[in-house]
mmCIF file with all atom_site columns, all heavy atoms in Angstrom:
data_model
loop_
_atom_site.group_PDB
_atom_site.id
_atom_site.type_symbol
_atom_site.label_atom_id
_atom_site.label_alt_id
_atom_site.label_comp_id
_atom_site.label_asym_id
_atom_site.label_entity_id
_atom_site.label_seq_id
_atom_site.pdbx_PDB_ins_code
_atom_site.Cartn_x
_atom_site.Cartn_y
_atom_site.Cartn_z
_atom_site.occupancy
_atom_site.B_iso_or_equiv
_atom_site.pdbx_formal_charge
_atom_site.auth_seq_id
_atom_site.auth_comp_id
_atom_site.auth_asym_id
_atom_site.auth_atom_id
_atom_site.pdbx_PDB_model_num
ATOM   1   N N   . ASP A 1 27  ? 142.007 34.068 113.422 1.00 98.00 ? 78  ASP A N   1
ATOM   2   C CA  . ASP A 1 27  ? 140.735 34.611 113.903 1.00 98.00 ? 78  ASP A CA  1
ATOM   3   C C   . ASP A 1 27  ? 140.647 36.101 113.561 1.00 98.00 ? 78  ASP A C   1
ATOM   4   O O   . ASP A 1 27  ? 140.189 36.923 114.352 1.00 98.00 ? 78  ASP A O   1
ATOM   5   C CB  . ASP A 1 27  ? 140.610 34.381 115.418 1.00 98.00 ? 78  ASP A CB  1
ATOM   6   C CG  . ASP A 1 27  ? 139.182 34.599 115.898 1.00 98.00 ? 78  ASP A CG  1
ATOM   7   O OD1 . ASP A 1 27  ? 138.252 34.606 115.063 1.00 98.00 ? 78  ASP A OD1 1
ATOM   8   O OD2 . ASP A 1 27  ? 138.988 34.783 117.111 1.00 98.00 ? 78  ASP A OD2 1
ATOM   9   N N   . ALA A 1 29  ? 138.841 37.704 111.380 1.00 98.00 ? 80  ALA A N   1
ATOM   10  C CA  . ALA A 1 29  ? 137.526 38.314 111.154 1.00 98.00 ? 80  ALA A CA  1
ATOM   11  C C   . ALA A 1 29  ? 136.953 38.814 112.473 1.00 98.00 ? 80  ALA A C   1
ATOM   12  O O   . ALA A 1 29  ? 136.121 39.719 112.501 1.00 98.00 ? 80  ALA A O   1
ATOM   13  C CB  . ALA A 1 29  ? 136.574 37.321 110.496 1.00 98.00 ? 80  ALA A CB  1
ATOM   14  N N   . ALA A 1 30  ? 137.395 38.211 113.585 1.00 98.00 ? 81  ALA A N   1
ATOM   15  C CA  . ALA A 1 30  ? 136.947 38.677 114.906 1.00 98.00 ? 81  ALA A CA  1
ATOM   16  C C   . ALA A 1 30  ? 137.714 39.943 115.281 1.00 98.00 ? 81  ALA A C   1
ATOM   17  O O   . ALA A 1 30  ? 137.130 40.959 115.628 1.00 98.00 ? 81  ALA A O   1
ATOM   18  C CB  . ALA A 1 30  ? 137.155 37.593 115.957 1.00 98.00 ? 81  ALA A CB  1
ATOM   19  N N   . THR A 1 31  ? 139.026 39.868 115.213 1.00 98.00 ? 82  THR A N   1
ATOM   20  C CA  . THR A 1 31  ? 139.869 41.066 115.375 1.00 98.00 ? 82  THR A CA  1
ATOM   21  C C   . THR A 1 31  ? 141.258 40.752 114.842 1.00 98.00 ? 82  THR A C   1
ATOM   22  O O   . THR A 1 31  ? 141.702 39.603 114.926 1.00 98.00 ? 82  THR A O   1
ATOM   23  C CB  . THR A 1 31  ? 139.912 41.551 116.846 1.00 98.00 ? 82  THR A CB  1
ATOM   24  O OG1 . THR A 1 31  ? 140.321 42.928 116.857 1.00 98.00 ? 82  THR A OG1 1
ATOM   25  C CG2 . THR A 1 31  ? 140.851 40.746 117.716 1.00 98.00 ? 82  THR A CG2 1
ATOM   26  N N   . GLY A 1 92  ? 132.676 51.718 116.801 1.00 98.00 ? 143 GLY A N   1
ATOM   27  C CA  . GLY A 1 92  ? 132.896 50.590 115.894 1.00 98.00 ? 143 GLY A CA  1
ATOM   28  C C   . GLY A 1 92  ? 131.721 50.486 114.944 1.00 98.00 ? 143 GLY A C   1
ATOM   29  O O   . GLY A 1 92  ? 130.859 51.370 114.898 1.00 98.00 ? 143 GLY A O   1
ATOM   30  N N   . THR A 1 93  ? 131.672 49.399 114.200 1.00 98.00 ? 144 THR A N   1
ATOM   31  C CA  . THR A 1 93  ? 130.603 49.194 113.220 1.00 98.00 ? 144 THR A CA  1
ATOM   32  C C   . THR A 1 93  ? 129.232 49.187 113.896 1.00 98.00 ? 144 THR A C   1
ATOM   33  O O   . THR A 1 93  ? 128.271 49.763 113.386 1.00 98.00 ? 144 THR A O   1
ATOM   34  C CB  . THR A 1 93  ? 130.819 47.845 112.507 1.00 98.00 ? 144 THR A CB  1
ATOM   35  O OG1 . THR A 1 93  ? 132.153 47.818 111.998 1.00 98.00 ? 144 THR A OG1 1
ATOM   36  C CG2 . THR A 1 93  ? 129.842 47.657 111.373 1.00 98.00 ? 144 THR A CG2 1
ATOM   37  N N   . THR A 1 94  ? 129.156 48.514 115.039 1.00 98.00 ? 145 THR A N   1
ATOM   38  C CA  . THR A 1 94  ? 127.870 48.383 115.725 1.00 98.00 ? 145 THR A CA  1
ATOM   39  C C   . THR A 1 94  ? 127.300 49.755 116.066 1.00 98.00 ? 145 THR A C   1
ATOM   40  O O   . THR A 1 94  ? 126.131 50.040 115.770 1.00 98.00 ? 145 THR A O   1
ATOM   41  C CB  . THR A 1 94  ? 128.049 47.550 117.017 1.00 98.00 ? 145 THR A CB  1
ATOM   42  O OG1 . THR A 1 94  ? 128.657 46.308 116.654 1.00 98.00 ? 145 THR A OG1 1
ATOM   43  C CG2 . THR A 1 94  ? 126.734 47.290 117.707 1.00 98.00 ? 145 THR A CG2 1
ATOM   44  N N   . THR A 1 95  ? 128.117 50.598 116.682 1.00 98.00 ? 146 THR A N   1
ATOM   45  C CA  . THR A 1 95  ? 127.655 51.952 117.015 1.00 98.00 ? 146 THR A CA  1
ATOM   46  C C   . THR A 1 95  ? 127.257 52.700 115.754 1.00 98.00 ? 146 THR A C   1
ATOM   47  O O   . THR A 1 95  ? 126.224 53.381 115.715 1.00 98.00 ? 146 THR A O   1
ATOM   48  C CB  . THR A 1 95  ? 128.764 52.743 117.743 1.00 98.00 ? 146 THR A CB  1
ATOM   49  O OG1 . THR A 1 95  ? 129.254 51.947 118.805 1.00 98.00 ? 146 THR A OG1 1
ATOM   50  C CG2 . THR A 1 95  ? 128.259 54.060 118.271 1.00 98.00 ? 146 THR A CG2 1
ATOM   51  N N   . LEU A 1 97  ? 126.152 51.630 112.860 1.00 98.00 ? 148 LEU A N   1
ATOM   52  C CA  . LEU A 1 97  ? 124.874 51.187 112.292 1.00 98.00 ? 148 LEU A CA  1
ATOM   53  C C   . LEU A 1 97  ? 123.704 51.592 113.182 1.00 98.00 ? 148 LEU A C   1
ATOM   54  O O   . LEU A 1 97  ? 122.636 51.957 112.686 1.00 98.00 ? 148 LEU A O   1
ATOM   55  C CB  . LEU A 1 97  ? 124.903 49.667 112.060 1.00 98.00 ? 148 LEU A CB  1
ATOM   56  C CG  . LEU A 1 97  ? 125.877 49.215 110.961 1.00 98.00 ? 148 LEU A CG  1
ATOM   57  C CD1 . LEU A 1 97  ? 126.068 47.698 110.981 1.00 98.00 ? 148 LEU A CD1 1
ATOM   58  C CD2 . LEU A 1 97  ? 125.405 49.661 109.577 1.00 98.00 ? 148 LEU A CD2 1
ATOM   59  N N   . HIS A 1 122 ? 125.263 40.302 109.853 1.00 98.00 ? 173 HIS A N   1
ATOM   60  C CA  . HIS A 1 122 ? 125.702 40.232 111.249 1.00 98.00 ? 173 HIS A CA  1
ATOM   61  C C   . HIS A 1 122 ? 124.600 40.861 112.115 1.00 98.00 ? 173 HIS A C   1
ATOM   62  O O   . HIS A 1 122 ? 123.887 41.750 111.652 1.00 98.00 ? 173 HIS A O   1
ATOM   63  C CB  . HIS A 1 122 ? 127.003 41.032 111.362 1.00 98.00 ? 173 HIS A CB  1
ATOM   64  C CG  . HIS A 1 122 ? 127.662 40.998 112.699 1.00 98.00 ? 173 HIS A CG  1
ATOM   65  N ND1 . HIS A 1 122 ? 127.273 41.799 113.741 1.00 98.00 ? 173 HIS A ND1 1
ATOM   66  C CD2 . HIS A 1 122 ? 128.705 40.271 113.159 1.00 98.00 ? 173 HIS A CD2 1
ATOM   67  C CE1 . HIS A 1 122 ? 128.044 41.573 114.784 1.00 98.00 ? 173 HIS A CE1 1
ATOM   68  N NE2 . HIS A 1 122 ? 128.930 40.648 114.461 1.00 98.00 ? 173 HIS A NE2 1
ATOM   69  N N   . SER A 1 124 ? 124.626 43.088 114.138 1.00 98.00 ? 175 SER A N   1
ATOM   70  C CA  . SER A 1 124 ? 124.727 44.563 114.157 1.00 98.00 ? 175 SER A CA  1
ATOM   71  C C   . SER A 1 124 ? 123.977 45.196 113.004 1.00 98.00 ? 175 SER A C   1
ATOM   72  O O   . SER A 1 124 ? 123.660 46.388 113.043 1.00 98.00 ? 175 SER A O   1
ATOM   73  C CB  . SER A 1 124 ? 126.183 45.005 114.048 1.00 98.00 ? 175 SER A CB  1
ATOM   74  O OG  . SER A 1 124 ? 126.899 44.558 115.133 1.00 98.00 ? 175 SER A OG  1
ATOM   75  N N   . ALA A 1 170 ? 125.692 43.835 104.067 1.00 98.00 ? 221 ALA A N   1
ATOM   76  C CA  . ALA A 1 170 ? 127.135 43.731 104.327 1.00 98.00 ? 221 ALA A CA  1
ATOM   77  C C   . ALA A 1 170 ? 127.903 43.800 103.007 1.00 98.00 ? 221 ALA A C   1
ATOM   78  O O   . ALA A 1 170 ? 127.485 43.208 102.012 1.00 98.00 ? 221 ALA A O   1
ATOM   79  C CB  . ALA A 1 170 ? 127.436 42.399 105.018 1.00 98.00 ? 221 ALA A CB  1
ATOM   80  N N   . ALA A 1 172 ? 130.946 42.546 102.786 1.00 98.00 ? 223 ALA A N   1
ATOM   81  C CA  . ALA A 1 172 ? 131.482 41.175 102.745 1.00 98.00 ? 223 ALA A CA  1
ATOM   82  C C   . ALA A 1 172 ? 130.953 40.430 103.967 1.00 98.00 ? 223 ALA A C   1
ATOM   83  O O   . ALA A 1 172 ? 130.873 41.000 105.059 1.00 98.00 ? 223 ALA A O   1
ATOM   84  C CB  . ALA A 1 172 ? 133.009 41.206 102.759 1.00 98.00 ? 223 ALA A CB  1
ATOM   85  N N   . SER A 1 173 ? 130.589 39.162 103.763 1.00 98.00 ? 224 SER A N   1
ATOM   86  C CA  . SER A 1 173 ? 130.007 38.359 104.847 1.00 98.00 ? 224 SER A CA  1
ATOM   87  C C   . SER A 1 173 ? 131.089 37.875 105.806 1.00 98.00 ? 224 SER A C   1
ATOM   88  O O   . SER A 1 173 ? 132.171 37.474 105.374 1.00 98.00 ? 224 SER A O   1
ATOM   89  C CB  . SER A 1 173 ? 129.277 37.156 104.242 1.00 98.00 ? 224 SER A CB  1
ATOM   90  O OG  . SER A 1 173 ? 129.077 36.170 105.227 1.00 98.00 ? 224 SER A OG  1
ATOM   91  N N   . ASN A 1 174 ? 130.765 37.857 107.112 1.00 98.00 ? 225 ASN A N   1
ATOM   92  C CA  . ASN A 1 174 ? 131.730 37.359 108.097 1.00 98.00 ? 225 ASN A CA  1
ATOM   93  C C   . ASN A 1 174 ? 131.632 35.845 108.280 1.00 98.00 ? 225 ASN A C   1
ATOM   94  O O   . ASN A 1 174 ? 132.335 35.282 109.111 1.00 98.00 ? 225 ASN A O   1
ATOM   95  C CB  . ASN A 1 174 ? 131.550 38.069 109.449 1.00 98.00 ? 225 ASN A CB  1
ATOM   96  C CG  . ASN A 1 174 ? 130.262 37.689 110.148 1.00 98.00 ? 225 ASN A CG  1
ATOM   97  O OD1 . ASN A 1 174 ? 129.251 37.464 109.499 1.00 98.00 ? 225 ASN A OD1 1
ATOM   98  N ND2 . ASN A 1 174 ? 130.281 37.605 111.468 1.00 98.00 ? 225 ASN A ND2 1
ATOM   99  N N   . ASP A 1 199 ? 127.314 47.682 105.762 1.00 99.00 ? 250 ASP A N   1
ATOM   100 C CA  . ASP A 1 199 ? 128.133 47.181 106.865 1.00 99.00 ? 250 ASP A CA  1
ATOM   101 C C   . ASP A 1 199 ? 129.444 46.695 106.240 1.00 99.00 ? 250 ASP A C   1
ATOM   102 O O   . ASP A 1 199 ? 129.494 45.638 105.619 1.00 99.00 ? 250 ASP A O   1
ATOM   103 C CB  . ASP A 1 199 ? 127.385 46.033 107.555 1.00 99.00 ? 250 ASP A CB  1
ATOM   104 C CG  . ASP A 1 199 ? 128.267 45.288 108.540 1.00 99.00 ? 250 ASP A CG  1
ATOM   105 O OD1 . ASP A 1 199 ? 129.464 45.608 108.650 1.00 99.00 ? 250 ASP A OD1 1
ATOM   106 O OD2 . ASP A 1 199 ? 127.747 44.361 109.190 1.00 99.00 ? 250 ASP A OD2 1
ATOM   107 N N   . ALA A 1 201 ? 132.369 46.113 107.804 1.00 98.00 ? 252 ALA A N   1
ATOM   108 C CA  . ALA A 1 201 ? 133.327 45.621 108.800 1.00 98.00 ? 252 ALA A CA  1
ATOM   109 C C   . ALA A 1 201 ? 134.306 44.612 108.211 1.00 98.00 ? 252 ALA A C   1
ATOM   110 O O   . ALA A 1 201 ? 135.485 44.594 108.569 1.00 98.00 ? 252 ALA A O   1
ATOM   111 C CB  . ALA A 1 201 ? 132.568 44.992 109.974 1.00 98.00 ? 252 ALA A CB  1
ATOM   112 N N   . GLN A 1 202 ? 133.816 43.764 107.297 1.00 98.00 ? 253 GLN A N   1
ATOM   113 C CA  . GLN A 1 202 ? 134.691 42.716 106.743 1.00 98.00 ? 253 GLN A CA  1
ATOM   114 C C   . GLN A 1 202 ? 135.225 43.082 105.356 1.00 98.00 ? 253 GLN A C   1
ATOM   115 O O   . GLN A 1 202 ? 135.804 42.236 104.670 1.00 98.00 ? 253 GLN A O   1
ATOM   116 C CB  . GLN A 1 202 ? 133.930 41.376 106.658 1.00 98.00 ? 253 GLN A CB  1
ATOM   117 C CG  . GLN A 1 202 ? 133.433 40.854 107.995 1.00 98.00 ? 253 GLN A CG  1
ATOM   118 C CD  . GLN A 1 202 ? 134.557 40.420 108.941 1.00 98.00 ? 253 GLN A CD  1
ATOM   119 O OE1 . GLN A 1 202 ? 135.721 40.298 108.549 1.00 98.00 ? 253 GLN A OE1 1
ATOM   120 N NE2 . GLN A 1 202 ? 134.210 40.171 110.196 1.00 98.00 ? 253 GLN A NE2 1
ATOM   121 N N   . SER A 1 222 ? 134.965 49.042 111.446 1.00 99.00 ? 273 SER A N   1
ATOM   122 C CA  . SER A 1 222 ? 135.622 49.015 112.763 1.00 99.00 ? 273 SER A CA  1
ATOM   123 C C   . SER A 1 222 ? 137.136 49.084 112.615 1.00 99.00 ? 273 SER A C   1
ATOM   124 O O   . SER A 1 222 ? 137.701 48.390 111.765 1.00 99.00 ? 273 SER A O   1
ATOM   125 C CB  . SER A 1 222 ? 135.298 47.705 113.494 1.00 99.00 ? 273 SER A CB  1
ATOM   126 O OG  . SER A 1 222 ? 133.915 47.567 113.686 1.00 99.00 ? 273 SER A OG  1
ATOM   127 N N   . HIS A 1 224 ? 139.339 47.912 114.809 1.00 98.00 ? 275 HIS A N   1
ATOM   128 C CA  . HIS A 1 224 ? 140.070 46.751 115.346 1.00 98.00 ? 275 HIS A CA  1
ATOM   129 C C   . HIS A 1 224 ? 140.189 45.589 114.356 1.00 98.00 ? 275 HIS A C   1
ATOM   130 O O   . HIS A 1 224 ? 140.967 44.668 114.585 1.00 98.00 ? 275 HIS A O   1
ATOM   131 C CB  . HIS A 1 224 ? 139.438 46.274 116.656 1.00 98.00 ? 275 HIS A CB  1
ATOM   132 C CG  . HIS A 1 224 ? 138.100 45.616 116.489 1.00 98.00 ? 275 HIS A CG  1
ATOM   133 N ND1 . HIS A 1 224 ? 137.965 44.262 116.376 1.00 98.00 ? 275 HIS A ND1 1
ATOM   134 C CD2 . HIS A 1 224 ? 136.852 46.128 116.392 1.00 98.00 ? 275 HIS A CD2 1
ATOM   135 C CE1 . HIS A 1 224 ? 136.670 43.978 116.241 1.00 98.00 ? 275 HIS A CE1 1
ATOM   136 N NE2 . HIS A 1 224 ? 135.982 45.093 116.248 1.00 98.00 ? 275 HIS A NE2 1
ATOM   137 N N   . LYS A 1 225 ? 139.440 45.627 113.257 1.00 98.00 ? 276 LYS A N   1
ATOM   138 C CA  . LYS A 1 225 ? 139.576 44.566 112.239 1.00 98.00 ? 276 LYS A CA  1
ATOM   139 C C   . LYS A 1 225 ? 140.564 44.976 111.151 1.00 98.00 ? 276 LYS A C   1
ATOM   140 O O   . LYS A 1 225 ? 140.700 44.306 110.124 1.00 98.00 ? 276 LYS A O   1
ATOM   141 C CB  . LYS A 1 225 ? 138.215 44.260 111.621 1.00 98.00 ? 276 LYS A CB  1
ATOM   142 C CG  . LYS A 1 225 ? 137.224 43.647 112.616 1.00 98.00 ? 276 LYS A CG  1
ATOM   143 C CD  . LYS A 1 225 ? 135.949 43.233 111.925 1.00 98.00 ? 276 LYS A CD  1
ATOM   144 C CE  . LYS A 1 225 ? 134.781 43.050 112.867 1.00 98.00 ? 276 LYS A CE  1
ATOM   145 N NZ  . LYS A 1 225 ? 134.837 41.838 113.678 1.00 98.00 ? 276 LYS A NZ  1
ATOM   146 N N   . ARG A 1 360 ? 137.704 30.710 115.266 1.00 98.00 ? 411 ARG A N   1
ATOM   147 C CA  . ARG A 1 360 ? 136.503 30.998 116.050 1.00 98.00 ? 411 ARG A CA  1
ATOM   148 C C   . ARG A 1 360 ? 135.472 29.896 115.821 1.00 98.00 ? 411 ARG A C   1
ATOM   149 O O   . ARG A 1 360 ? 135.376 29.372 114.712 1.00 98.00 ? 411 ARG A O   1
ATOM   150 C CB  . ARG A 1 360 ? 135.915 32.353 115.639 1.00 98.00 ? 411 ARG A CB  1
ATOM   151 C CG  . ARG A 1 360 ? 134.764 32.762 116.537 1.00 98.00 ? 411 ARG A CG  1
ATOM   152 C CD  . ARG A 1 360 ? 134.230 34.155 116.270 1.00 98.00 ? 411 ARG A CD  1
ATOM   153 N NE  . ARG A 1 360 ? 132.970 34.273 117.026 1.00 98.00 ? 411 ARG A NE  1
ATOM   154 C CZ  . ARG A 1 360 ? 132.156 35.290 116.972 1.00 98.00 ? 411 ARG A CZ  1
ATOM   155 N NH1 . ARG A 1 360 ? 132.432 36.321 116.198 1.00 98.00 ? 411 ARG A NH1 1
ATOM   156 N NH2 . ARG A 1 360 ? 131.049 35.303 117.667 1.00 98.00 ? 411 ARG A NH2 1
ATOM   157 N N   . HIS A 1 364 ? 128.857 33.262 115.213 1.00 96.00 ? 415 HIS A N   1
ATOM   158 C CA  . HIS A 1 364 ? 129.497 34.414 114.583 1.00 96.00 ? 415 HIS A CA  1
ATOM   159 C C   . HIS A 1 364 ? 128.570 35.629 114.512 1.00 96.00 ? 415 HIS A C   1
ATOM   160 O O   . HIS A 1 364 ? 128.662 36.438 113.571 1.00 96.00 ? 415 HIS A O   1
ATOM   161 C CB  . HIS A 1 364 ? 130.028 34.054 113.184 1.00 96.00 ? 415 HIS A CB  1
ATOM   162 C CG  . HIS A 1 364 ? 130.766 32.757 113.155 1.00 96.00 ? 415 HIS A CG  1
ATOM   163 N ND1 . HIS A 1 364 ? 131.889 32.529 113.905 1.00 96.00 ? 415 HIS A ND1 1
ATOM   164 C CD2 . HIS A 1 364 ? 130.508 31.589 112.505 1.00 96.00 ? 415 HIS A CD2 1
ATOM   165 C CE1 . HIS A 1 364 ? 132.303 31.290 113.720 1.00 96.00 ? 415 HIS A CE1 1
ATOM   166 N NE2 . HIS A 1 364 ? 131.484 30.697 112.880 1.00 96.00 ? 415 HIS A NE2 1
ATOM   167 N N   . CYS A 1 365 ? 127.680 35.743 115.485 1.00 97.00 ? 416 CYS A N   1
ATOM   168 C CA  . CYS A 1 365 ? 126.714 36.859 115.511 1.00 97.00 ? 416 CYS A CA  1
ATOM   169 C C   . CYS A 1 365 ? 125.950 36.936 114.191 1.00 97.00 ? 416 CYS A C   1
ATOM   170 O O   . CYS A 1 365 ? 125.677 38.037 113.683 1.00 97.00 ? 416 CYS A O   1
ATOM   171 C CB  . CYS A 1 365 ? 127.402 38.196 115.802 1.00 97.00 ? 416 CYS A CB  1
ATOM   172 S SG  . CYS A 1 365 ? 128.299 38.199 117.342 1.00 97.00 ? 416 CYS A SG  1
ATOM   173 N N   . ARG A 1 380 ? 135.316 28.749 112.118 1.00 98.00 ? 431 ARG A N   1
ATOM   174 C CA  . ARG A 1 380 ? 135.668 29.720 111.087 1.00 98.00 ? 431 ARG A CA  1
ATOM   175 C C   . ARG A 1 380 ? 137.146 30.082 111.169 1.00 98.00 ? 431 ARG A C   1
ATOM   176 O O   . ARG A 1 380 ? 137.639 30.475 112.225 1.00 98.00 ? 431 ARG A O   1
ATOM   177 C CB  . ARG A 1 380 ? 134.838 30.997 111.248 1.00 98.00 ? 431 ARG A CB  1
ATOM   178 C CG  . ARG A 1 380 ? 135.102 32.026 110.158 1.00 98.00 ? 431 ARG A CG  1
ATOM   179 C CD  . ARG A 1 380 ? 134.446 33.355 110.471 1.00 98.00 ? 431 ARG A CD  1
ATOM   180 N NE  . ARG A 1 380 ? 135.042 33.970 111.645 1.00 98.00 ? 431 ARG A NE  1
ATOM   181 C CZ  . ARG A 1 380 ? 134.582 35.072 112.236 1.00 98.00 ? 431 ARG A CZ  1
ATOM   182 N NH1 . ARG A 1 380 ? 133.509 35.665 111.783 1.00 98.00 ? 431 ARG A NH1 1
ATOM   183 N NH2 . ARG A 1 380 ? 135.197 35.570 113.312 1.00 98.00 ? 431 ARG A NH2 1
HETATM 184 N N1  . C6P B 2 .   ? 132.237 40.460 113.650 1.00 89.58 ? 911 C6P B N1  1
HETATM 185 C C1  . C6P B 2 .   ? 133.211 38.298 114.035 1.00 89.58 ? 911 C6P B C1  1
HETATM 186 O O1  . C6P B 2 .   ? 133.888 37.493 114.667 1.00 89.58 ? 911 C6P B O1  1
HETATM 187 P P1  . C6P B 2 .   ? 132.030 45.527 115.963 1.00 89.58 ? 911 C6P B P1  1
HETATM 188 O O2  . C6P B 2 .   ? 131.849 44.469 117.001 1.00 89.58 ? 911 C6P B O2  1
HETATM 189 O O3  . C6P B 2 .   ? 131.097 46.679 116.157 1.00 89.58 ? 911 C6P B O3  1
HETATM 190 O O4  . C6P B 2 .   ? 133.447 45.927 115.780 1.00 89.58 ? 911 C6P B O4  1
HETATM 191 O O5  . C6P B 2 .   ? 131.664 44.824 114.555 1.00 89.58 ? 911 C6P B O5  1
HETATM 192 C C2  . C6P B 2 .   ? 130.431 44.221 114.380 1.00 89.58 ? 911 C6P B C2  1
HETATM 193 C C3  . C6P B 2 .   ? 130.355 43.536 113.053 1.00 89.58 ? 911 C6P B C3  1
HETATM 194 C C4  . C6P B 2 .   ? 129.490 44.016 112.098 1.00 89.58 ? 911 C6P B C4  1
HETATM 195 N N2  . C6P B 2 .   ? 129.405 43.459 110.874 1.00 89.58 ? 911 C6P B N2  1
HETATM 196 C C5  . C6P B 2 .   ? 130.142 42.409 110.523 1.00 89.58 ? 911 C6P B C5  1
HETATM 197 C C6  . C6P B 2 .   ? 130.023 41.840 109.152 1.00 89.58 ? 911 C6P B C6  1
HETATM 198 C C7  . C6P B 2 .   ? 131.039 41.851 111.450 1.00 89.58 ? 911 C6P B C7  1
HETATM 199 O O6  . C6P B 2 .   ? 131.777 40.816 111.089 1.00 89.58 ? 911 C6P B O6  1
HETATM 200 C C8  . C6P B 2 .   ? 131.139 42.424 112.744 1.00 89.58 ? 911 C6P B C8  1
HETATM 201 C C9  . C6P B 2 .   ? 132.024 41.817 113.795 1.00 89.58 ? 911 C6P B C9  1
HETATM 202 C C10 . C6P B 2 .   ? 133.110 39.728 114.517 1.00 89.58 ? 911 C6P B C10 1
HETATM 203 O O7  . C6P B 2 .   ? 132.629 37.982 112.986 1.00 89.58 ? 911 C6P B O7  1
HETATM 204 C C11 . C6P B 2 .   ? 132.721 39.771 115.948 1.00 89.58 ? 911 C6P B C11 1
HETATM 205 S S1  . C6P B 2 .   ? 131.105 39.148 116.232 1.00 89.58 ? 911 C6P B S1  1
#
Side-chain angles (χ1 to χ4, degrees):
D78 195 17
T82 200
T144 307
T145 305
T146 310
L148 292 168
H173 184 279
S175 297
S224 162
N225 69 325
D250 169 357
Q253 300 292 348
S273 300
H275 71 95
K276 294 186 199 286
R411 187 174 169 186
H415 314 300
C416 302
R431 183 189 66 187

